Amino acid sequence: MTLPPSLEEKSGASKRRSYQALALRMLFAVGISFFIGQTNLDYLESYLYDLRVRTKILNSTSGNVELIYITPQTVQFYKGYPSAPEQIALLKALNDSGAKAIAYDFAFDEVPGTLDEKNAWESAIVASPHVFVAGRTTPMKGEENQMFLQEPLEQVSISPAPKTTDLVNFAKDGVTRRMILTYQDRPMLPVRLASLVNPQAMQVDSIRGQFDFYGTDQAYIDFHPARSYPATSFEAILKGEVNPSRFKDKIVLIGTDLGLNEAEYIMTPFSREVTAMTRIEMQANVIDTLIKNSGPVKVSGYLSWLFILIASVLTTQVVLTMKPTRGLIVLGATLLGFVILCAGAYWGFGLWLPMAAPLLTIFLCYYFFIPYRLIVENRRSWEYYQKNKLLSQVEELKTNFISMMSHDLKTPIARIQGMTDVILTDSVALSNQQREAVDTIKHSSDDLLKFINAILSYGKIESQGVQLNMQSKDINNLLQEVIRKHEFLAKVKRIQIVSELEPMFPVQVDPELMKQVFSNLVENAIKYSPEDTKIMVSSEETPSKVIVQVADQGPGIPQDELQNIFMKFFRSKNVKSSPIKGSGLGLYLAKYFTELHQGNIFVESSHGNGSTFTVELPIEQGGTHA
């Protein structure tokens, strides 16, 4: 099927506008993606990462690390900081227990003792190859003198084990999330300690999530909540309250938990309190991460760009093309699915997927395009209102014009009918040709009057001016009147009207309107039926309604037209090309008048097998209608 040139041009223009609007939306979505992709959202991204860390359920330690604390109770027990002899006693106890490694992580200059006592402690440390001292800084190459303690412990070497806090870079919120693996190719103390259990830890490139940052190799810590690692107090060991066998083959970290110095603590993804976790427990998390090689992996920035682009395109399309309720459901489901994806990726695989930028993209696109859509829809609503207002005025003018013209036409038609009656009843004899001409005038004026009456009825309906004049009438009497009125028209085509009317009680109807309904059905049956056929008019009464049927042997109605047969001004495509005249209002008026009586009218037909129209009227009327 080929469209007319004008329609093809309109269709092509509409498609071009649709493509242009789509391209504009996509361009804007890409622009938002580029803008958000350039924005630093490290703080928000890290906060969302912390939420995933906090909600991770299955996260057990390796069981290779033990903690020993110098606490306020320790200071109270020893009436001061544990002295050098007491430090020697603890070191001997741990060595005897078979500890795999021992690491000190506190300020040695706070340990009291005489010069000889500290020298003895120094000798004990140096003599044990598996004893380490953690340093708080990372000296550069050429600063080897900073790799040893000050006198009188100058023989004790220091292994760098700094804490990494996001103060200047990354989230800038003071939380520790990263660990330094190497600096200038020198491994940090946690790497050396972890390699005693997992030798692969010394191969930095094999560490999960490893990345370069300002000359260092770093990775993210697989954090556990505070107090996840077994810990005991300094004095409990020396008092014999702890079984030394618990330290066998363990990495033992010795530190302080005095609550006096913020440098001894860190903030973690689990808590942003200043004293959320001690330094040695942080080191335990680092060592455990390396032993298990379970560091979280932050995915490539390219994936973040992809997520942002998808979020912006999806949100733009949803907001501008879907209904608000459905759009909110789609966006809500998208947000929930994306959150579940990111959380599941971290919980199950240790993958840190970007969340902040895609979520921000969705919110920005939504709140930007919603006002735009409201403006567009308000403009459309105003245009529709103006068009509807104009159409209502035009429809009112049309109805008034039709009503006025129909009334004005009835007068000359009545005169024509009157003059034809005078001529036909006059005693003056007419020739056959004259009588035929007068009969033609009479029939034409009758057809025109029927058409005008239909138009007037339609005008009353459009102006809501039809009112029921309910009377108690026998439907059979109305049908007989209609049949008598159309007998002559039927005889002309040698059509027999057969009536089968069951006796029934009177019902409340408007007789004039119902006679018009039955007349339209009978007249249509006669008009569209071939010669030498029959028309069946029947009636019956049920407990709740009266049923009237008019069946013909005409050409029938195509199936694709049955749903439109009662529409105003509708005429079948088969009769448009035939000489049979009609206004397309008869069945529309029949349906309207029947439903005005709270009744129902329908048709059963198939092409080539005739039609049966059925009218159902309730016996008990619900009241008058207007």
Side-chain angles (χ1 to χ4, degrees):
M1 177 179 178
T2 304
L3 293 173
S6 60
L7 293 180
E8 286 185 347
E9 291 175 0
K10 291 181 180 179
S11 177
S14 177
K15 288 182 179 179
R16 284 194 297 273
R17 285 194 297 270
S18 298
Y19 291 146
Q20 289 172 356
L22 178 61
L24 186 61
R25 291 198 296 267
M26 294 302 100
L27 182 62
F28 190 84
V30 172
I32 290 181
S33 303
F34 180 79
F35 170 76
I36 295 179
Q38 298 296 321
T39 306
N40 188 339
L41 300 174
D42 284 347
Y43 179 84
L44 180 58
E45 184 64 59
S46 297
Y47 180 79
L48 294 174
Y49 166 76
D50 293 349
L51 291 179
R52 281 168 274 180
V53 174
R54 295 175 193 173
T55 54
K56 187 175 181 181
I57 300 174
L58 302 176
N59 192 15
S60 58
T61 65
S62 66
N64 290 285
V65 183
E66 286 275 350
L67 307 181
I68 297 176
Y69 284 113
I70 298 173
T71 65
Q73 289 75 21
T74 306
V75 174
Q76 183 179 2
F77 179 79
Y78 289 111
K79 298 194 172 35
Y81 209 89
S83 63
E86 291 152 353
Q87 297 287 353
I88 296 172
L90 175 66
L91 181 58
K92 182 178 184 304
L94 293 175
N95 281 329
D96 293 342
S97 69
K100 187 181 293 290
I102 301 167
Y104 293 98
D105 191 347
F106 58 81
F108 270 50
D109 55 1
E110 294 183 7
V111 177
T114 64
L115 180 61
D116 291 338
E117 291 172 340
K118 289 188 175 182
N119 286 334
W121 184 29
E122 175 189 55
S123 299
I125 293 174
V126 173
S128 302
H130 57 279
V131 177
F132 304 88
V133 177
R136 305 292 176 87
T137 61
T138 53
M140 298 177 62
K141 289 182 178 179
E143 298 178 339
E144 284 77 7
N145 60 316
Q146 297 184 21
M147 302 296 292
F148 294 90
L149 292 175
Q150 301 295 320
E151 294 183 358
L153 303 171
E154 68 274 9
Q155 300 297 322
V156 178
S157 64
I158 298 175
S159 297
K163 68 175 182 180
T164 55
T165 303
D166 291 348
L167 290 174
V168 179
N169 299 294
F170 299 95
K172 301 179 182 179
D173 55 4
V175 176
T176 295
R177 300 181 181 90
R178 299 167 291 115
M179 57 181 169
I180 297 178
L181 303 174
T182 67
Y183 176 62
Q184 293 185 338
D185 300 325
R186 291 199 305 268
M188 300 294 105
L189 176 59
V191 176
R192 296 172 62 186
L193 294 175
S195 66
L196 298 176
V197 179
N198 178 18
Q200 296 294 322
M202 290 297 290
Q203 300 178 9
V204 176
D205 293 338
S206 67
I207 294 176
R208 179 181 164 89
Q210 178 268 337
F211 62 93
D212 297 329
F213 184 72
Y214 287 125
T216 64
D217 291 305
Q218 298 192 18
Y220 285 96
I221 304 171
D222 182 16
F223 263 108
H224 299 78
R227 299 177 180 82
S228 295
Y229 294 88
T232 187
S233 63
F234 189 101
E235 72 278 9
I237 299 172
L238 295 185
K239 289 193 300 182
E241 297 176 356
V242 177
N243 188 348
S245 63
R246 67 182 284 180
F247 302 107
K248 182 176 176 59
D249 294 327
K250 300 294 179 64
I251 298 171
V252 181
L253 305 180
I254 305 172
T256 59
D257 186 10
L258 298 172
L260 300 175
N261 188 352
E262 291 183 7
E264 303 296 324
Y265 299 91
I266 64 165
M267 291 189 288
T268 73
F270 288 95
S271 174
R272 300 198 177 191
E273 293 184 7
V274 176
T275 59
M277 182 178 287
T278 63
R279 276 183 56 90
I280 62 170
E281 189 165 12
M282 178 206 74
Q283 302 293 3
N285 277 277
V286 172
I287 294 167
D288 228 22
T289 301
L290 295 173
I291 291 174
K292 296 163 59 179
N293 198 15
S294 59
V297 178
K298 191 172 186 179
V299 300
S300 168
Y302 293 107
L303 186 60
S304 177
W305 277 90
L306 179 61
F307 282 171
I308 295 171
L309 182 61
I310 293 174
S312 61
V313 171
L314 175 66
T315 308
T316 302
Q317 286 296 104
V318 166
V319 172
L320 295 182
T321 61
M322 289 187 179
K323 293 182 180 179
T325 303
R326 185 179 179 186
L328 282 175
I329 293 174
V330 171
L331 285 181
T334 301
L335 282 172
L336 180 60
F338 181 66
V339 170
I340 292 175
L341 171 65
C342 293
Y346 179 78
W347 295 340
F349 307 98
L351 296 178
W352 179 354
L353 299 181
M355 286 183 64
L359 293 179
L360 181 61
T361 301
I362 292 176
F363 284 115
L364 283 181
C365 288
Y366 182 82
Y367 283 107
F368 179 85
F369 279 110
I370 280 295
Y372 172 75
R373 176 170 178 170
L374 290 176
I375 292 171
V376 172
E377 290 186 350
N378 285 337
R379 185 181 67 184
R380 289 177 181 171
S381 299
W382 183 84
E383 291 175 352
Y384 290 151
Y385 170 76
Q386 294 298 324
K387 289 180 181 179
N388 184 62
K389 184 178 179 182
L390 178 61
L391 289 174
S392 298
Q393 293 174 348
V394 172
E395 186 69 20
E396 184 178 356
L397 291 173
K398 181 196 73 174
T399 303
N400 293 338
F401 174 77
I402 290 174
S403 178
M404 180 183 65
M405 290 300 296
S406 300
H407 278 289
D408 290 345
L409 286 173
K410 288 187 72 174
T411 301
I413 290 174
R415 292 174 182 170
I416 292 172
Q417 288 179 323
M419 295 304 296
T420 55
D421 290 339
V422 169
I423 294 173
L424 291 173
T425 57
D426 195 8
S427 58
V428 178
L430 298 175
S431 66
N432 291 335
Q433 186 176 3
Q434 290 173 332
R435 180 169 293 279
E436 184 179 349
V438 173
D439 286 338
T440 302
I441 293 173
K442 180 175 176 57
H443 291 317
S444 297
S445 61
D446 289 341
D447 291 339
L448 184 57
L449 184 60
K450 290 178 183 178
F451 177 73
I452 291 173
N453 287 333
I455 292 295
L456 285 174
S457 297
Y458 169 70
K460 288 182 180 179
I461 293 173
E462 292 293 296
S463 61
Q464 298 181 349
V466 178
Q467 294 183 348
L468 291 178
N469 180 21
M470 305 298 284
Q471 300 177 27
S472 181
K473 288 291 182 180
D474 188 341
I475 295 298
N476 289 340
N477 292 339
L478 300 180
L479 289 172
Q480 288 169 350
E481 287 184 39
V482 171
I483 292 172
R484 282 196 299 271
K485 180 180 177 182
H486 291 85
E487 280 181 343
F488 178 77
L489 182 60
K491 287 180 180 179
V492 171
K493 297 182 68 175
R494 298 189 298 279
I495 294 175
Q496 182 182 0
I497 301 178
V498 180
S499 60
E500 292 183 359
L501 308 179
E502 293 184 0
M504 60 181 66
F505 291 102
V507 295
Q508 291 288 324
V509 294
D510 185 318
E512 294 303 320
L513 292 184
M514 291 314 302
K515 280 195 291 185
Q516 188 170 344
V517 172
F518 299 145
S519 293
N520 286 338
L521 298 180
V522 173
E523 183 176 343
N524 281 349
I526 295 173
K527 284 164 53 176
Y528 297 115
S529 293
E531 295 181 352
D532 299 314
T533 57
K534 293 181 180 180
I535 295 174
M536 176 66 70
V537 179
S538 64
S539 68
E540 63 174 311
E541 184 179 86
T542 68
S544 61
K545 58 189 174 183
V546 171
I547 301 174
V548 175
Q549 288 188 325
V550 178
D552 61 52
Q553 297 175 319
I557 305 169
Q559 288 294 320
D560 59 341
E561 295 183 354
L562 285 176
Q563 60 183 355
N564 302 321
I565 198 69
F566 294 104
M567 291 177 59
K568 54 187 175 183
F569 301 117
F570 177 81
R571 297 196 74 203
S572 174
K573 58 187 177 183
N574 294 331
V575 301
K576 286 181 181 179
S577 58
S578 70
I580 302 174
K581 299 177 181 179
S583 63
L585 286 173
L587 292 178
Y588 168 73
L589 295 174
K591 179 178 176 64
Y592 184 85
F593 293 154
T594 302
E595 291 180 348
L596 206 60
H597 284 78
Q598 297 183 357
N600 186 29
I601 184 172
F602 55 90
V603 61
E604 297 176 87
S605 180
S606 60
H607 192 51
N609 295 318
S611 304
T612 300
F613 285 84
T614 302
V615 177
E616 297 178 346
L617 295 172
I619 292 178
E620 295 293 335
Q621 288 289 323
T624 59
H625 296 258

